[in-house]
Structures are given as C-alpha cells and as structure tokens.
Amino acid sequence: MVSFTEIHCRENLFPISFTRHTADIRIGMSTVREKWAWAEKTFPSISTRDNVPANLIPGHDFFTTLAAHGLEQAMADPSKYRTVEYPWEIPVHNAWAIAEDFNMLLKGKRSLPRPLTMNITGPSDQVFIETGARIGHCFINTEQGPVHIGAGAELMDGVMIRGPVSIGEGATVKMGAAIYGGTSIGPHCLVGGEIKNSVFFAYSNKAHEGYIGDAVIGAWCNLGAGTSCSNIRNTATPVKAWSIYQKTFIEAGMKCGLIMGDYSRCGINTSFNTGTVVGVSSNIFQSGALVSKY
C-alpha cells in the first residue's frame, strides 16, 4: 500500500484540498490515488512504503521505471510525471494526464463499438466507450488526443468534443455542448455550453450556456445559467490569483480561469474575473458587475 505525504503541498492547493487529501485530486481520467491503485494491480513488484508526494501525477513510463528500478530512479526523470503546486496548475497538466491515463488505465480493455450516431474525425481507436454509455448524434475529433466516455455517461445530440477529453462515469453532456481539449468532466456531472481545458470534480453541474476555461470546479458545485469566466487578461500579462494559504496574490501563468472549492454555487449570469478563487460552500450572486477575485 502506497503511503502519501502532503508536506509542503496541501496548503498551497487550497481550496481544492480543504475537503480532500491531495492524492484524491482529480486530474486526467482519475484521481492520483486511483492511478496508484491501478499500478499496484498491474505491476506486482510495486510495493513501496516510501512517502510518495501526493501532488505527483504519474504517467505510464513512471510506473514501469518504478517497477523495475524503484521510486528514486522513477522520480529522477521529470518527463515521466508532473507535479501540481497550486490549483491553477491542474488544467496546465490535464491534457497530458488524460493521454497518459488513456494509454495506461484502458490497456487490455475493449471499447464498445462506435455507434453510427458518432461522427469521428481522426483515429477512431482514440475513442473509448465504456459499458452503458448512451451516444446521440455527436461529433468527436481525436486529431489532438483521445476521448474517453465513461460507463453510463450520456452524450446528447449535437455534442462536439475535441480531445483529449474524459467524460466520467454517469456524466451527462447536454445538447449542443462544445467541449475542448484538456477537459475532464468528473463522475455524475451535468454540463452544457462551452468548456475548455478545465477539470470538473464529481457531481457538479454547469447545465446551461456560458464559457468556462482553464478552470477547476470542485465537487457538488452548481453554476447558474449564463455563468462565464475570463481566463486571460486584456493586457495579455500574467494572471494573478489569490493564494488562500499565503494570503497574497501570486502569478498563475498567462491563462487562469475560475478555481472553485467544493459545495459552492453561483446565480444566473454570474461573471467571474480572470483568476478568481472561490472557497468551499460559497453562495455567489451579483447584479451586472464582475464578482470579487476572492
């Protein structure tokens, strides 16, 4: 059984880590803990009790090196894994993590046949459909990466997806939604409108029109109809986001959208400024202006 350490990472990952262990953060098709559970079953030689950094995002080559040579050598090559120090780094690495998980977690499994209602551009073997998924007339593009559709998920008519994208178990993508690469829709989420390079944790809803980009939405959140976020400054300068732990604004890269903790919600037509951070169990509504950045 792997032992995880959160030293020097948990606090900087607030508000996402307020309500979960860092190893339970979702990135790619699964959580960090779920990736390690797969590896321990796949590589019997993996039996490390070392304190593995919980914010380390492993890829397939990381696990093969670990199984053959141990943790120290696996961590010696940064190309085989990623790390997240702040919540806004989750979208930065999400496209990479989806592609790694697709080739790792689905190895040896067989996809359901692609239905005639699915129009695929790019390699068709880069679409994987789990048992019980329901597929309407939709458009899938795999030229830039794979698309995974989880068990019992539903893609309604008119859905457009450009990989790499992961649609979680029991999730629903509503009619006419546009889902861009680098997006993970967690289990049992309900989403619509336009979503780009973002991660939704489980049981969250963005059921209507509006744009969410370069964002992290926690579990059990609800975004009212028309909710949108900015992800780039008009001045094309680095975005600054509020660090709850450091109690100051710090640079978050050129693109950073909305970071929302678990159980939060916002009213219809809410407009979030670039790099807005929302804590846990917040209730947000406004009248005509951008809400506060924290």
Side-chain angles (χ1 to χ4, degrees):
M1 181 71 67
V2 173
S3 176
F4 295 104
T5 178
E6 294 184 288
I7 296 174
H8 306 310
C9 71
R10 180 176 181 272
E11 291 85 356
N12 280 333
L13 285 164
F14 290 163
I16 301 303
S17 58
F18 265 138
T19 46
R20 62 178 51 78
H21 194 285
T22 301
D24 294 314
I25 287 176
R26 176 168 298 276
I27 182 169
M29 289 169 44
S30 62
T31 66
V32 174
R33 192 184 304 276
E34 288 167 345
K35 300 180 204 301
W36 279 92
W38 171 88
E40 290 179 310
K41 291 180 180 178
T42 305
F43 301 99
S45 61
I46 292 180
S47 181
T48 178
R49 293 189 179 275
D50 296 325
N51 284 325
V52 176
N55 63 334
L56 184 151
I57 316 304
H60 183 269
D61 290 345
F62 175 89
F63 285 130
T64 56
T65 303
L66 172 64
H69 304 291
L71 182 62
E72 184 176 352
Q73 190 159 337
M75 292 186 63
D77 186 353
S79 69
K80 297 178 180 178
Y81 64 93
R82 302 290 187 271
T83 56
V84 291
E85 302 292 339
Y86 298 96
W88 43 84
E89 293 177 354
I90 295 172
V92 172
H93 301 305
N94 198 51
W96 176 88
I98 293 172
E100 288 291 317
D101 284 354
F102 189 90
N103 294 322
M104 183 169 66
L105 305 182
L106 301 178
K107 182 180 290 187
K109 294 184 178 182
R110 179 175 295 181
S111 170
L112 290 182
R114 285 72 175 173
L116 296 177
T117 55
M118 179 181 286
N119 186 315
I120 300 177
T121 301
S124 61
D125 63 354
Q126 292 297 288
V127 176
F128 195 99
I129 306 171
E130 302 270 11
T131 303
R134 294 168 290 168
I135 313 293
H137 290 270
C138 60
F139 303 88
I140 309 292
N141 187 310
T142 62
E143 293 178 330
Q144 301 299 317
V147 174
H148 170 250
I149 303 167
E154 180 179 10
L155 305 185
M156 294 184 179
D157 294 337
V159 167
M160 298 173 288
I161 295 177
R162 177 180 289 269
V165 164
S166 174
I167 307 298
E169 177 182 356
T172 299
V173 184
K174 295 184 70 178
M175 290 196 302
I179 312 295
Y180 289 84
T183 295
S184 294
I185 305 301
H188 308 287
C189 289
L190 174 65
V191 298
E194 185 179 5
I195 303 172
K196 173 250 179 189
N197 196 48
S198 297
V199 178
F200 280 67
F201 288 25
Y203 296 98
S204 286
N205 297 328
K206 178 202 174 295
H208 305 289
E209 294 299 322
Y211 173 76
I212 297 295
D214 300 282
V216 181
I217 308 299
W220 298 98
C221 295
N222 188 75
L223 307 183
T227 295
S228 291
C229 74
S230 169
N231 63 336
I232 188 169
R233 300 187 67 192
N234 286 344
T235 56
T237 53
V239 179
K240 291 187 176 181
W242 181 257
S243 169
I244 296 175
Y245 175 62
Q246 297 184 29
K247 295 181 173 57
T248 187
F249 285 98
I250 63 176
E251 285 196 6
M254 294 301 295
K255 288 188 176 182
C256 178
L258 169 65
I259 309 297
M260 177 177 277
D262 293 350
Y263 309 107
S264 290
R265 59 205 63 235
C266 63
I268 63 170
N269 296 322
T270 303
S271 297
F272 288 102
N273 214 329
T274 320
T276 296
V277 176
V278 174
V280 173
S281 298
S282 298
N283 187 15
I284 299 166
F285 52 93
Q286 66 167 23
S287 178
L290 292 167
V291 301
S292 169
K293 285 196 66 172
Y294 170 55

